[in-house]
Amino acid sequence: MSNLKLAVEVVSAHNLMLRHGQSTTSAYVEFLFDRQRARTSTKARDVNHVWNETIFFDVSDPNRLRDLVVEANVFHNGNANSTTFLGKVCLPGTSFVPYSDAHVSLYSLKKRGVFSFSRVRGELALKAYLANPNQSQPSVNHEAKSESHEPPKVAPKNSGSSSRPSDYLLKESSPYLGGGQVVRGRFVRGDSPVISTHELVETMHYLFVRVVKALDLSCRDAYVEVKVGNCKGITRSLEKKQNPEWNEVFAFLKENLHSSVLDVVVKDNELVNDDFVGSVQFALDEVQTRVPVAPERHQLVDKDGKKKKKGELMLAVWYGTQADEAFPNAWYSDIILPDDMSSAAYTHVRSKVYDSPRLWYVRVKVIEARDLVVPDTSRIPDAYASIQIGHQCLKTREVQSLNPMWNEELMFVTAEPFDDQHLIVSVEDHVCPDKEETLGRVSIALNSVKRCGESADDDQIICGQWFNLDMSLSNAMEKDRDHKFSRRIHLHVCLDGGYHLLDDSSNYCNDLQRPVGVLELGVLNAKDLMPMKTETGKATTDSYCVAKFGDKWVRTRTITNSPSPKYSEQYTWEVYDPVSILTVGVFDNRQIGNSSGKKDKEIGKVRIRISTLESDRVYTHCYPLLSLSPSGVKKTGELHLAIRFSCISLANLMLIYFQPVSVKVQPGTLRDQAVLVVADRLAQVEPPLGKEVVEYMYSDAADVHVWSLRRSKANFFRMMGVLSWFISVLKWFDEVCAWRSSIITVLVHVLFVMLVCTPELILSTVFLYMFLTGISNLRYRPRHPLHVDTRLSHADAAHPDELDEEFDTFPTSQNDEIMKMRYDRLRSIAGRIQTVVGDVATMGERIQEFLISWRDPRATFIFITFCLFVAILLFVTPLKVVVIVGGFYLMRHPRLRRRKQMPSILANFYRRLPEKSECIF
């Protein structure tokens, strides 16, 4: 016997099927290899089982190793030693490699057979490798014994060796929110529940102070300081005003109030030593808890508590929650900012709701130009037209003529309002490769351009117009200029609103139909956020969240200097199309503190497809924030969200699935321009939403078209997953033909005869089977939204060089040696693809080109003779008899087959047909 051994390391199992209504399983794994049987220990009452046990099998004949299979069966150990099958995994002998090349892989559990009635789900993490006793191997002390059922002795290993850490998975929670505790997607309300407009977030109580204005002050540079215990807020300073108006709101978190008195002090900014002007004091136990509270006038008092003759302060004080209307515009006491921070910087920490601007197309048809004049009269210009709107610039082709004709239509993207936006058209002469001369310009104000296509049925025709060209842009922008003789250009310009201009992928669009539901999002909190910057020698994170759905953007307030911020903010959208995606991103605010003025840094984002959510179910999950870099997958924190989709009309919701996404969709090249336009507009709002934030929210891995070996592997295995059902059916049919189970084979024979005798039942049987399968899957439907899958993305096992190549610039910035290695690798992969494509083409060519073309006269003669024989046979024999005989022949018992499984006569004939590959160099 050989000294070679096969080692199988059982790491863990995830998401196993639960049995008999239990919330846990007691699982163990049983292995079968070359008539050797072994099993792991039983992990009792667990959800995600971790074994980290290694089992050794003897390899009797290394030459037969590639033909052997390791079968791993997962069982649930129930009461009275009863077992329940949970799934199996088969490892082919071709996957066994030396220990140095082995790695942990995650395998999906399969059924015993295609038509097995058992329900399975989950994944099993295994690592298989060949072990030689003469070489150093990891220390284990168990070997499998033939037909042994004893649990093995195990050697513990590091549990972090799993290729898919549990930190990368979604985690469902049961938090206490405004509507009660969430248990399995439903609110469990108390005996006397408090009705809250913000059910999806934890209710946070605030003390609100609205400072409206002051009257008849004795100073002219006043500001107000609001103080409760250690919490303090300051209004902006208004110079040279005896009756200043601030109209600012301060929100103090009730749990942080360590005082029983609220002090509102008016101070003079001009005084240094004693800047006190007057104050108003409130007892917190007397503050009302109702909304809204009308502002009232309060007489200022001096330091001794006596009322002053002059000076009043108008303000309102009340207790409320984050559902209060004043909450979005308030200064939050839980945000700690530097004392020297200007009041303008406070706007960067507020929450805000943004609306994307309405986008329009600018259609410009450049027809011709007349009477062009060039400085050098001895040459004819190579003229082209250049059109520019903001940062967008397009050009026509070059035409060599003094009266060039182009007849080209160019399209641009712009947004309302059109004030101060101009369409600049210039005619240029391409003198030489490095020299361009301007032959004339014209500027057209967009607010003067006619609009067409306000609706999809609007086919209004806009007539062309001649425009005079000026040599300078300033002259071109002057109106009512007298042109005695001028160069001219003929243009058709219009603003087109008939298209549905998409600034995002069609999967993310929401405003295409009438509303069919309501989407509610509760941004609860974040955990373990990665430090994004260093201030005063300390790593900090000032985080905020941005959510986008359709044309509505929302931004939470910034929680400063906290790796686990608590937002508790709720937002609502109308849903027009359920087949759309909600995007929630987490960012580090770099507009405050020492890093003021820098671009905000992304931490991570979450995408949730609305159509995957059940109606009226509350989804409370912790989403891992993952980022992919040349160093691999990195977790940057967790985001805790509460989501609920409520359906308004079920009938309209169902009809959406049968309607097109939009009547007209713009060319894909304009989407990037639309994103830049939206980013420019949102960057001008107060507080601004940075361009880097908008571009990151729009970015999608599906839109990346640069070569990536990792992404190619992921797509290949996705395709194999789609074909796995067909392959499983073939394997099952092969088992039927081999009579592995006589009962199943006999039942298949009976079903086959029934369907042949009554062919009208075939389609109905197929659809009925799919209906029953769908009904049976209803019980096991997914209970959590889709999220980034590191295993499906092949990101957790990607080679560092593959990731470095994926994140390389285009064109590349690597040296020649690395590029040579990558090019050779790409040639190798492309060569295998080329071979597969050639084999597929050969299979089709043998039938299409050579079967009846007499290229091979003997083969063609054999085929047409066979066709004549089959035609006569089918004419004299009932079709049902032919089909039944053919089916029984395919499923005949192995004893009626030849001992050696040789290819069939038809396969031999097919493989001998010629192919066109012989005609290729």
Side-chain angles (χ1 to χ4, degrees):
M1 179 179 291
S2 173
N3 291 330
L4 189 65
K5 293 183 181 294
L6 174 65
V8 181
E9 180 179 338
V10 190
V11 181
S12 59
H14 307 283
N15 196 26
L16 296 179
M17 179 65 65
L18 305 180
R19 293 296 178 182
H20 309 299
Q22 301 178 15
S23 59
T24 59
T25 57
S26 300
Y28 68 92
V29 185
E30 184 178 274
F31 291 89
L32 180 63
F33 173 76
D34 195 18
R35 298 183 181 180
Q36 303 174 63
R37 189 185 301 271
R39 54 167 286 183
T40 65
S41 60
T42 301
K43 297 298 181 181
R45 297 180 180 179
D46 204 348
V47 178
N48 295 321
H49 306 76
V50 179
W51 287 279
N52 287 316
E53 301 177 9
T54 304
I55 298 175
F56 279 74
F57 295 98
D58 295 324
V59 179
S60 58
D61 186 0
N63 296 326
R64 295 180 53 249
L65 185 61
R66 298 178 62 88
D67 300 327
L68 299 177
V69 175
V70 174
E71 183 174 321
N73 296 280
V74 185
F75 293 96
H76 166 64
N77 193 354
N79 297 328
N81 294 326
S82 62
T83 59
T84 305
F85 179 75
L86 300 180
K88 74 173 184 178
V89 170
C90 293
L91 302 179
T94 55
S95 63
F96 304 150
V97 295
Y99 176 75
S100 58
D101 298 332
H103 62 275
V104 179
S105 299
L106 209 59
Y107 301 91
S108 298
L109 295 177
K110 305 295 183 182
K111 299 180 181 179
R112 281 198 175 102
V114 176
F115 290 95
S116 174
F117 294 99
S118 60
R119 301 293 304 174
V120 300
R121 74 178 184 191
E123 296 163 320
L124 186 64
L126 300 174
K127 179 180 179 180
Y129 56 90
L130 298 175
N132 193 332
N134 298 327
Q135 299 177 358
S136 60
Q137 300 292 343
S139 59
V140 292
N141 55 4
H142 169 73
E143 293 187 6
K145 301 299 181 181
S146 178
E147 301 296 327
S148 173
H149 296 275
E150 295 298 327
K153 299 178 182 179
V154 301
K157 292 180 67 68
N158 185 8
S159 61
S161 61
S162 175
S163 62
R164 188 185 185 186
S166 58
D167 287 346
Y168 294 170
L169 304 178
L170 266 68
K171 301 175 184 177
E172 189 172 8
S173 61
S174 299
Y176 287 90
L177 304 179
Q181 185 182 11
V182 179
V183 179
R184 296 183 179 181
R186 296 291 183 266
F187 280 120
V188 178
R189 305 181 188 273
D191 297 334
S192 57
V194 178
I195 303 300
S196 174
T197 57
H198 283 43
E199 289 187 336
L200 299 186
V201 292
E202 181 181 350
T203 302
M204 301 178 67
H205 296 278
Y206 287 88
L207 173 65
F208 289 97
V209 181
R210 180 189 296 275
V211 181
V212 182
K213 62 181 178 179
L215 302 173
D216 198 19
L217 294 180
S218 59
C219 60
R220 293 182 177 272
D221 195 1
Y223 67 94
V224 177
E225 179 182 280
V226 183
K227 186 176 182 180
V228 184
N230 296 327
C231 301
K232 181 175 65 174
I234 301 175
T235 67
R236 64 188 186 278
S237 178
L238 300 179
E239 299 180 358
K240 299 180 180 180
K241 288 188 177 181
Q242 191 173 2
N243 299 318
E245 293 186 10
W246 296 282
N247 198 25
E248 296 182 11
V249 181
F250 300 89
F252 299 91
L253 193 60
K254 190 175 181 179
E255 63 184 24
N256 294 337
L257 300 180
H258 302 295
S259 176
S260 60
V261 177
L262 166 67
D263 291 319
V264 184
V265 183
V266 181
K267 294 186 177 182
D268 188 1
N269 203 29
E270 292 182 350
L271 302 177
V272 179
N273 295 329
D274 189 8
D275 56 359
F276 181 85
V277 176
S279 66
V280 178
Q281 195 173 76
F282 297 88
L284 295 183
D285 55 357
E286 298 179 358
V287 175
Q288 300 178 358
T289 308
R290 62 185 182 89
V291 178
V293 175
E296 298 178 355
R297 292 185 179 183
H298 299 271
Q299 191 75 30
L300 295 178
V301 299
D302 56 18
K303 292 183 178 181
D304 297 330
K306 297 180 180 180
K307 291 186 178 180
K308 303 185 67 173
K309 295 182 179 180
K310 296 178 62 178
E312 292 180 333
L313 188 63
M314 179 177 288
L315 51 84
V317 182
W318 74 95
Y319 282 116
T321 65
Q322 68 268 43
D324 200 293
E325 295 180 354
F327 181 78
N329 298 322
W331 307 110
Y332 313 106
S333 63
D334 53 352
I335 299 176
I336 303 174
L337 295 175
D339 295 335
D340 57 349
M341 183 63 63
S342 63
S343 59
Y346 281 85
T347 59
H348 293 280
V349 301
R350 287 183 174 181
S351 59
K352 180 70 175 181
V353 178
Y354 308 85
D355 289 321
S356 293
R358 182 184 178 184
L359 301 178
W360 287 76
Y361 283 124
V362 181
R363 305 173 68 97
V364 182
K365 185 174 183 180
V366 187
I367 302 175
E368 60 178 328
R370 295 285 180 86
D371 305 327
L372 297 180
V373 179
V374 294
D376 186 3
T377 58
S378 62
R379 60 180 296 274
I380 300 177
D382 292 329
Y384 66 90
S386 175
I387 297 92
Q388 181 177 359
I389 299 179
H391 58 267
Q392 307 172 64
C393 183
L394 296 176
K395 299 178 180 179
T396 65
R397 69 183 188 278
E398 295 181 5
V399 176
Q400 191 173 24
S401 174
L402 291 173
N403 300 305
M405 294 191 65
W406 295 286
N407 280 323
E408 294 185 21
E409 185 174 83
L410 307 176
M411 297 184 68
F412 302 85
V413 179
T414 188
E416 293 180 345
F418 302 124
D419 300 337
D420 299 329
Q421 294 192 60
H422 289 79
L423 171 70
I424 300 175
V425 182
S426 61
V427 180
E428 306 286 340
D429 178 17
H430 186 73
V431 180
C432 58
D434 57 348
K435 184 178 180 181
E436 308 283 342
E437 289 185 354
T438 301
L439 303 181
R441 290 190 178 94
V442 62
S443 177
I444 305 172
L446 288 184
N447 52 15
S448 64
V449 175
K450 294 183 179 180
R451 304 184 184 187
C452 66
E454 292 282 355
S455 63
D457 300 328
D458 188 357
D459 294 329
Q460 179 183 359
I461 299 177
I462 304 297
C463 299
Q465 185 177 356
W466 286 93
F467 296 90
N468 295 311
L469 298 173
D470 289 288
M471 291 302 298
S472 65
L473 184 59
S474 59
N475 292 337
M477 299 185 69
E478 293 182 8
K479 296 183 179 180
D480 302 328
R481 179 177 171 85
D482 185 17
H483 296 272
K484 296 181 180 180
F485 175 79
S486 177
R487 312 164 181 86
R488 297 180 299 165
I489 187 170
H490 192 191
L491 303 173
H492 284 214
V493 184
C494 71
L495 290 167
D496 193 346
Y499 288 80
H500 184 85
L501 208 165
L502 306 182
D503 57 337
D504 208 343
S505 173
S506 58
N507 291 336
Y508 294 76
C509 294
N510 175 53
D511 56 342
L512 307 175
Q513 310 290 342
R514 58 184 179 274
V516 295
V518 175
L519 174 65
E520 298 170 274
L521 169 67
V523 185
L524 303 181
N525 53 63
K527 297 180 181 178
D528 303 326
L529 295 182
M530 179 178 295
M532 304 302 294
K533 59 191 174 186
T534 303
E535 292 183 358
T536 63
K538 181 181 178 182
T540 62
T541 300
D542 303 327
S543 62
Y544 65 93
C545 297
V546 175
K548 174 191 177 297
F549 184 69
D551 288 341
K552 181 180 177 180
W553 300 65
V554 297
R555 168 179 177 162
T556 67
R557 70 190 190 280
T558 300
I559 305 298
T560 59
N561 195 20
S562 174
S564 299
K566 186 177 181 181
Y567 306 102
S568 295
E569 298 186 26
Q570 180 173 336
Y571 299 95
T572 305
W573 288 266
E574 286 187 335
V575 178
Y576 296 83
D577 192 341
V579 189
S580 51
I581 295 178
L582 167 69
T583 306
V584 184
V586 185
F587 300 87
D588 177 51
N589 195 333
R590 302 197 172 186
Q591 308 304 315
I592 56 178
N594 296 332
S595 56
S596 178
K598 296 181 180 179
K599 293 183 178 180
D600 293 349
K601 182 65 176 178
E602 69 274 2
I603 300 178
K605 64 181 173 182
V606 175
R607 288 193 176 100
I608 301 169
R609 183 176 288 271
I610 307 304
S611 60
T612 62
L613 305 181
E614 298 181 20
S615 297
D616 300 321
R617 179 183 177 88
V618 181
Y619 292 84
T620 52
H621 289 79
C622 288
Y623 297 83
L625 301 175
L626 306 176
S627 65
L628 184 64
S629 64
S631 60
V633 180
K634 180 172 58 177
K635 182 178 178 180
T636 57
E638 291 184 356
L639 181 62
H640 196 186
L641 301 176
I643 304 171
R644 179 171 60 187
F645 170 67
S646 303
C647 178
I648 297 176
S649 172
L650 182 59
N652 293 336
L653 181 63
M654 296 299 182
L655 290 176
I656 290 294
Y657 285 86
F658 301 96
Q659 297 178 2
V661 175
S662 59
V663 179
K664 301 176 182 178
V665 180
Q666 85 280 9
T669 55
L670 292 176
R671 184 184 150 213
D672 294 338
Q673 299 294 341
V675 171
L676 293 177
V677 171
V678 173
D680 288 338
R681 291 302 177 89
L682 294 182
Q684 300 172 8
V685 184
E686 193 69 31
L689 202 60
K691 291 184 179 180
E692 68 279 0
V693 175
V694 176
E695 292 175 358
Y696 179 72
M697 293 290 289
Y698 275 120
S699 63
D700 187 0
D703 295 333
V704 179
H705 304 293
V706 181
W707 161 257
S708 168
L709 183 58
R710 175 192 61 83
R711 195 176 291 112
S712 299
K713 289 181 181 178
N715 290 334
F716 172 77
F717 284 101
R718 287 173 58 199
M719 181 183 67
M720 293 303 298
V722 173
L723 299 177
S724 62
W725 180 87
F726 179 72
I727 298 174
S728 300
V729 171
L730 293 180
K731 290 181 178 179
W732 168 82
F733 185 71
D734 183 67
E735 293 179 356
V736 170
C737 296
W739 289 72
R740 295 285 178 85
S741 175
S742 301
I743 297 178
I744 294 179
T745 303
V746 172
L747 292 177
V748 171
H749 280 73
V750 174
L751 179 63
F752 174 71
V753 174
M754 292 175 55
L755 293 179
V756 172
C757 295
T758 56
E760 63 275 5
L761 297 180
I762 295 178
L763 290 179
S764 60
T765 302
V766 171
F767 285 102
L768 180 61
Y769 171 77
M770 290 189 292
F771 169 78
L772 295 177
T773 303
I775 292 297
S776 63
N777 289 337
L778 177 64
R779 179 182 176 184
Y780 307 102
R781 63 189 182 276
R783 297 292 185 175
H784 56 80
L786 290 173
H787 190 53
V788 176
D789 191 332
T790 55
R791 177 174 174 267
L792 179 64
S793 305
H794 281 253
D796 51 355
H799 192 273
D801 182 70
E802 297 176 5
L803 295 175
D804 185 69
E805 179 186 22
E806 181 176 346
F807 286 91
D808 192 11
T809 59
F810 188 85
T812 182
S813 58
Q814 297 292 344
N815 56 46
D816 295 341
E817 291 298 326
I818 295 180
M819 288 307 302
K820 181 180 178 181
M821 181 271 295
R822 291 177 180 174
Y823 178 65
D824 290 340
R825 180 175 61 191
L826 182 60
R827 288 178 62 190
S828 176
I829 297 173
R832 293 195 293 268
I833 297 175
Q834 173 182 287
T835 302
V836 173
V837 173
D839 293 342
V840 174
T842 297
M843 294 172 60
E845 287 173 352
R846 285 174 174 170
I847 299 176
Q848 182 180 3
E849 300 289 341
F850 301 108
L851 203 56
I852 57 177
S853 64
W854 294 92
R855 172 61 67 180
D856 186 339
R858 284 159 293 279
T860 303
F861 175 77
I862 294 174
F863 177 71
I864 62 176
T865 304
F866 171 76
C867 291
L868 177 62
F869 173 76
V870 172
I872 296 174
L873 179 65
L874 294 178
F875 181 76
V876 300
T877 307
L879 180 61
K880 296 180 180 179
V881 176
V882 174
V883 175
I884 292 177
V885 172
F888 276 61
Y889 177 77
L890 289 177
M891 295 183 290
R892 66 192 185 278
H893 198 275
R895 295 181 180 178
L896 302 178
R897 303 172 187 268
R898 288 176 291 181
R899 292 186 178 181
K900 285 190 175 181
Q901 292 295 330
M902 300 297 292
S904 65
I905 297 176
L906 293 179
N908 293 333
F909 176 77
Y910 175 77
R911 291 176 182 175
R912 290 181 178 274
L913 292 175
E915 55 188 63
K916 283 188 176 182
S917 61
E918 302 166 356
C919 304
I920 299 177
F921 279 108

